[in-house]
Amino acid sequence: MPEIKVRDKSFETYLSEETIQKRIAEMAAEINRDYEGKMPLFIAILNGSFMFATDLFKHLTIDAEICFIKLVSYKGMKSTGHITTAIGLDQDLFGRDVIIIEAIVDTGKTLGYFLPKLEHQQPASLKIAALLHKPEATVHPITIDYTGFSIPNKFVVGYGLDYDGCGRNLKEIYQVVENH
């Protein structure tokens, strides 16, 4: 596999563009089936989920709305342990079917922080669609209702995910190459 450089790290292809797109279409089909006749509100968590949210929405055939929130917990390749809300939620969730779009769930801390804030608004239902999940890294148990891929606890970049602000524009998902 050819390696790429992002900042000072080397990465190798982990998930191809074709594999990612195929799985997103399958996830959208599940959501279309589960929400037929309803109009869910999708909340995409920025910055990481912007590409996933866009591609997922292209495959939805149900009526749906989308809004965005920005929660920040990473610096470089490590979680800071602190979550900052950089862009807040301005939608009323009372009685709505809500689906959170998250690019990656690793420790679960971000969603562990965010979910109670949403539940407080009494949505009719609250589900999570995550493109990537790192079960080995999960410390705060989170139920993911629509999972794209379960991956090992390695740092990944691309398809919306970054390393120190770079690499989000890559069409594939790459994992860090150790010992570089």
Side-chain angles (χ1 to χ4, degrees):
M1 282 185 263
E3 290 185 10
I4 63 161
K5 287 282 262 188
V6 178
R7 293 213 181 260
D8 60 340
K9 303 279 183 217
S10 292
F11 293 85
E12 62 188 6
T13 304
Y14 182 69
L15 293 169
S16 71
E17 180 181 12
E18 182 182 333
T19 300
I20 294 165
Q21 294 304 322
K22 181 176 185 277
R23 182 63 190 125
I24 290 171
E26 292 167 356
M27 292 173 75
E30 291 176 54
I31 293 168
N32 286 330
R33 183 192 66 234
D34 293 350
Y35 287 87
E36 186 177 342
K38 298 180 180 182
M39 190 170 82
L41 171 65
F42 288 81
I43 300 173
I45 299 179
L46 297 172
N47 285 341
S49 73
F50 78 98
M51 289 178 91
F52 174 41
T54 299
D55 288 341
L56 182 68
F57 245 67
K58 289 176 188 174
H59 293 284
L60 293 178
T61 56
I62 56 171
D63 287 334
E65 292 181 84
I66 190 167
C67 65
F68 298 86
I69 185 165
K70 185 171 182 178
L71 303 174
V72 180
S73 67
Y74 262 77
K75 179 133 182 96
M77 290 176 53
K78 299 260 191 267
S79 176
T80 63
H82 303 288
I83 292 140
T84 305
T85 304
I87 299 174
L89 183 65
D90 61 358
Q91 298 282 334
D92 181 11
L93 305 184
F94 182 80
R96 296 288 310 263
D97 291 305
V98 176
I99 302 171
I100 298 168
I101 301 175
E102 180 63 289
I104 188 167
V105 175
D106 44 33
T107 66
K109 185 169 180 123
T110 300
L111 288 175
Y113 162 85
F114 189 49
L115 288 174
K117 293 180 180 310
L118 298 180
E119 289 164 349
H120 181 72
Q121 293 192 40
Q122 300 177 324
S125 67
L126 185 56
K127 305 282 185 180
I128 298 168
L131 181 62
L132 304 174
H133 179 222
K134 293 182 183 177
E136 298 167 27
T138 303
V139 178
H140 304 272
I142 300 291
T143 300
I144 302 171
D145 304 280
Y146 305 99
T147 303
F149 303 93
S150 289
I151 65 170
N153 191 16
K154 283 190 145 191
F155 189 78
V156 291
V157 69
Y159 196 70
L161 301 168
D162 73 303
Y163 168 47
D164 247 359
C166 293
R168 290 190 195 278
N169 59 314
L170 300 169
K171 293 178 184 176
E172 300 182 313
I173 294 176
Y174 295 82
Q175 69 182 3
V176 70
V177 177
E178 304 297 337
N179 304 324
H180 277 247

PDB file of all heavy atoms in Angstrom, residues 85-102:
ATOM      1  N   THR A  85     -17.831  23.397  23.116  1.00  0.00           N
ATOM      2  CA  THR A  85     -18.861  23.625  22.109  1.00  0.00           C
ATOM      3  C   THR A  85     -18.510  24.914  21.384  1.00  0.00           C
ATOM      4  O   THR A  85     -18.565  25.989  21.961  1.00  0.00           O
ATOM      5  CB  THR A  85     -20.256  23.750  22.754  1.00  0.00           C
ATOM      6  OG1 THR A  85     -20.511  22.578  23.516  1.00  0.00           O
ATOM      7  CG2 THR A  85     -21.336  23.917  21.693  1.00  0.00           C
ATOM      8  N   ALA A  86     -18.115  24.773  20.115  1.00  0.00           N
ATOM      9  CA  ALA A  86     -17.698  25.932  19.335  1.00  0.00           C
ATOM     10  C   ALA A  86     -18.862  26.518  18.537  1.00  0.00           C
ATOM     11  O   ALA A  86     -18.908  27.713  18.295  1.00  0.00           O
ATOM     12  CB  ALA A  86     -16.551  25.553  18.401  1.00  0.00           C
ATOM     13  N   ILE A  87     -19.785  25.675  18.101  1.00  0.00           N
ATOM     14  CA  ILE A  87     -21.015  26.127  17.439  1.00  0.00           C
ATOM     15  C   ILE A  87     -22.145  25.363  18.116  1.00  0.00           C
ATOM     16  O   ILE A  87     -22.121  24.140  18.187  1.00  0.00           O
ATOM     17  CB  ILE A  87     -21.020  25.793  15.929  1.00  0.00           C
ATOM     18  CG1 ILE A  87     -19.867  26.490  15.207  1.00  0.00           C
ATOM     19  CG2 ILE A  87     -22.356  26.193  15.299  1.00  0.00           C
ATOM     20  CD1 ILE A  87     -19.729  26.074  13.750  1.00  0.00           C
ATOM     21  N   GLY A  88     -23.131  26.078  18.628  1.00  0.00           N
ATOM     22  CA  GLY A  88     -24.190  25.446  19.397  1.00  0.00           C
ATOM     23  C   GLY A  88     -25.384  25.026  18.563  1.00  0.00           C
ATOM     24  O   GLY A  88     -25.491  25.335  17.376  1.00  0.00           O
ATOM     25  N   LEU A  89     -26.285  24.320  19.202  1.00  0.00           N
ATOM     26  CA  LEU A  89     -27.497  23.800  18.577  1.00  0.00           C
ATOM     27  C   LEU A  89     -28.613  24.831  18.710  1.00  0.00           C
ATOM     28  O   LEU A  89     -28.873  25.325  19.807  1.00  0.00           O
ATOM     29  CB  LEU A  89     -27.894  22.491  19.276  1.00  0.00           C
ATOM     30  CG  LEU A  89     -29.093  21.747  18.737  1.00  0.00           C
ATOM     31  CD1 LEU A  89     -28.822  21.260  17.321  1.00  0.00           C
ATOM     32  CD2 LEU A  89     -29.401  20.548  19.632  1.00  0.00           C
ATOM     33  N   ASP A  90     -29.268  25.148  17.610  1.00  0.00           N
ATOM     34  CA  ASP A  90     -30.333  26.140  17.656  1.00  0.00           C
ATOM     35  C   ASP A  90     -31.693  25.562  17.269  1.00  0.00           C
ATOM     36  O   ASP A  90     -32.616  26.298  16.951  1.00  0.00           O
ATOM     37  CB  ASP A  90     -29.984  27.347  16.778  1.00  0.00           C
ATOM     38  CG  ASP A  90     -29.808  26.973  15.312  1.00  0.00           C
ATOM     39  OD1 ASP A  90     -29.913  25.779  14.969  1.00  0.00           O
ATOM     40  OD2 ASP A  90     -29.575  27.886  14.504  1.00  0.00           O
ATOM     41  N   GLN A  91     -31.825  24.249  17.297  1.00  0.00           N
ATOM     42  CA  GLN A  91     -33.076  23.593  16.928  1.00  0.00           C
ATOM     43  C   GLN A  91     -33.832  23.139  18.176  1.00  0.00           C
ATOM     44  O   GLN A  91     -33.225  22.733  19.161  1.00  0.00           O
ATOM     45  CB  GLN A  91     -32.786  22.345  16.076  1.00  0.00           C
ATOM     46  CG  GLN A  91     -32.087  22.619  14.773  1.00  0.00           C
ATOM     47  CD  GLN A  91     -33.043  23.143  13.723  1.00  0.00           C
ATOM     48  OE1 GLN A  91     -34.227  22.882  13.752  1.00  0.00           O
ATOM     49  NE2 GLN A  91     -32.514  23.910  12.792  1.00  0.00           N
ATOM     50  N   ASP A  92     -35.160  23.168  18.118  1.00  0.00           N
ATOM     51  CA  ASP A  92     -35.998  22.619  19.180  1.00  0.00           C
ATOM     52  C   ASP A  92     -36.157  21.131  18.904  1.00  0.00           C
ATOM     53  O   ASP A  92     -36.611  20.733  17.824  1.00  0.00           O
ATOM     54  CB  ASP A  92     -37.357  23.322  19.184  1.00  0.00           C
ATOM     55  CG  ASP A  92     -38.274  22.808  20.285  1.00  0.00           C
ATOM     56  OD1 ASP A  92     -37.804  22.061  21.176  1.00  0.00           O
ATOM     57  OD2 ASP A  92     -39.467  23.156  20.249  1.00  0.00           O
ATOM     58  N   LEU A  93     -35.770  20.291  19.850  1.00  0.00           N
ATOM     59  CA  LEU A  93     -35.803  18.840  19.645  1.00  0.00           C
ATOM     60  C   LEU A  93     -37.040  18.171  20.232  1.00  0.00           C
ATOM     61  O   LEU A  93     -37.248  16.981  20.010  1.00  0.00           O
ATOM     62  CB  LEU A  93     -34.549  18.204  20.271  1.00  0.00           C
ATOM     63  CG  LEU A  93     -33.211  18.761  19.805  1.00  0.00           C
ATOM     64  CD1 LEU A  93     -32.079  17.963  20.433  1.00  0.00           C
ATOM     65  CD2 LEU A  93     -33.100  18.759  18.299  1.00  0.00           C
ATOM     66  N   PHE A  94     -37.849  18.910  20.949  1.00  0.00           N
ATOM     67  CA  PHE A  94     -38.994  18.310  21.628  1.00  0.00           C
ATOM     68  C   PHE A  94     -39.880  17.535  20.641  1.00  0.00           C
ATOM     69  O   PHE A  94     -40.325  18.081  19.623  1.00  0.00           O
ATOM     70  CB  PHE A  94     -39.838  19.378  22.335  1.00  0.00           C
ATOM     71  CG  PHE A  94     -40.993  18.788  23.092  1.00  0.00           C
ATOM     72  CD1 PHE A  94     -40.809  18.224  24.342  1.00  0.00           C
ATOM     73  CD2 PHE A  94     -42.262  18.770  22.531  1.00  0.00           C
ATOM     74  CE1 PHE A  94     -41.874  17.663  25.031  1.00  0.00           C
ATOM     75  CE2 PHE A  94     -43.333  18.208  23.205  1.00  0.00           C
ATOM     76  CZ  PHE A  94     -43.140  17.641  24.470  1.00  0.00           C
ATOM     77  N   GLY A  95     -40.070  16.245  20.926  1.00  0.00           N
ATOM     78  CA  GLY A  95     -40.934  15.399  20.109  1.00  0.00           C
ATOM     79  C   GLY A  95     -40.377  15.014  18.752  1.00  0.00           C
ATOM     80  O   GLY A  95     -41.069  14.367  17.967  1.00  0.00           O
ATOM     81  N   ARG A  96     -39.144  15.379  18.449  1.00  0.00           N
ATOM     82  CA  ARG A  96     -38.535  15.074  17.140  1.00  0.00           C
ATOM     83  C   ARG A  96     -37.768  13.756  17.201  1.00  0.00           C
ATOM     84  O   ARG A  96     -37.217  13.379  18.231  1.00  0.00           O
ATOM     85  CB  ARG A  96     -37.520  16.166  16.744  1.00  0.00           C
ATOM     86  CG  ARG A  96     -38.061  17.556  16.522  1.00  0.00           C
ATOM     87  CD  ARG A  96     -38.869  17.741  15.253  1.00  0.00           C
ATOM     88  NE  ARG A  96     -38.292  17.264  14.027  1.00  0.00           N
ATOM     89  CZ  ARG A  96     -37.629  18.004  13.149  1.00  0.00           C
ATOM     90  NH1 ARG A  96     -37.421  19.285  13.381  1.00  0.00           N
ATOM     91  NH2 ARG A  96     -37.169  17.473  12.035  1.00  0.00           N
ATOM     92  N   ASP A  97     -37.711  13.075  16.061  1.00  0.00           N
ATOM     93  CA  ASP A  97     -36.798  11.943  15.899  1.00  0.00           C
ATOM     94  C   ASP A  97     -35.456  12.543  15.510  1.00  0.00           C
ATOM     95  O   ASP A  97     -35.363  13.268  14.520  1.00  0.00           O
ATOM     96  CB  ASP A  97     -37.292  10.995  14.802  1.00  0.00           C
ATOM     97  CG  ASP A  97     -38.567  10.271  15.208  1.00  0.00           C
ATOM     98  OD1 ASP A  97     -38.560   9.620  16.270  1.00  0.00           O
ATOM     99  OD2 ASP A  97     -39.562  10.375  14.469  1.00  0.00           O
ATOM    100  N   VAL A  98     -34.429  12.262  16.298  1.00  0.00           N
ATOM    101  CA  VAL A  98     -33.121  12.877  16.109  1.00  0.00           C
ATOM    102  C   VAL A  98     -32.086  11.799  15.826  1.00  0.00           C
ATOM    103  O   VAL A  98     -32.048  10.770  16.510  1.00  0.00           O
ATOM    104  CB  VAL A  98     -32.705  13.695  17.356  1.00  0.00           C
ATOM    105  CG1 VAL A  98     -31.295  14.256  17.208  1.00  0.00           C
ATOM    106  CG2 VAL A  98     -33.707  14.821  17.621  1.00  0.00           C
ATOM    107  N   ILE A  99     -31.246  12.038  14.828  1.00  0.00           N
ATOM    108  CA  ILE A  99     -30.137  11.136  14.511  1.00  0.00           C
ATOM    109  C   ILE A  99     -28.856  11.969  14.507  1.00  0.00           C
ATOM    110  O   ILE A  99     -28.730  12.914  13.738  1.00  0.00           O
ATOM    111  CB  ILE A  99     -30.319  10.441  13.142  1.00  0.00           C
ATOM    112  CG1 ILE A  99     -31.631   9.649  13.112  1.00  0.00           C
ATOM    113  CG2 ILE A  99     -29.120   9.520  12.845  1.00  0.00           C
ATOM    114  CD1 ILE A  99     -31.996   9.111  11.739  1.00  0.00           C
ATOM    115  N   ILE A 100     -27.932  11.607  15.382  1.00  0.00           N
ATOM    116  CA  ILE A 100     -26.641  12.284  15.433  1.00  0.00           C
ATOM    117  C   ILE A 100     -25.732  11.644  14.394  1.00  0.00           C
ATOM    118  O   ILE A 100     -25.637  10.418  14.313  1.00  0.00           O
ATOM    119  CB  ILE A 100     -26.008  12.152  16.825  1.00  0.00           C
ATOM    120  CG1 ILE A 100     -26.895  12.830  17.865  1.00  0.00           C
ATOM    121  CG2 ILE A 100     -24.600  12.745  16.846  1.00  0.00           C
ATOM    122  CD1 ILE A 100     -26.505  12.508  19.277  1.00  0.00           C
ATOM    123  N   ILE A 101     -25.072  12.474  13.600  1.00  0.00           N
ATOM    124  CA  ILE A 101     -24.092  11.989  12.620  1.00  0.00           C
ATOM    125  C   ILE A 101     -22.701  12.300  13.169  1.00  0.00           C
ATOM    126  O   ILE A 101     -22.352  13.462  13.350  1.00  0.00           O
ATOM    127  CB  ILE A 101     -24.277  12.663  11.245  1.00  0.00           C
ATOM    128  CG1 ILE A 101     -25.668  12.395  10.687  1.00  0.00           C
ATOM    129  CG2 ILE A 101     -23.198  12.187  10.275  1.00  0.00           C
ATOM    130  CD1 ILE A 101     -25.956  13.133   9.382  1.00  0.00           C
ATOM    131  N   GLU A 102     -21.948  11.251  13.421  1.00  0.00           N
ATOM    132  CA  GLU A 102     -20.596  11.390  13.967  1.00  0.00           C
ATOM    133  C   GLU A 102     -19.623  10.648  13.069  1.00  0.00           C
ATOM    134  O   GLU A 102     -19.924   9.536  12.614  1.00  0.00           O
ATOM    135  CB  GLU A 102     -20.569  10.823  15.390  1.00  0.00           C
ATOM    136  CG  GLU A 102     -19.241  10.882  16.090  1.00  0.00           C
ATOM    137  CD  GLU A 102     -18.704  12.277  16.340  1.00  0.00           C
ATOM    138  OE1 GLU A 102     -18.303  12.939  15.361  1.00  0.00           O
ATOM    139  OE2 GLU A 102     -18.649  12.701  17.501  1.00  0.00           O
TER     140      GLU A 102
END
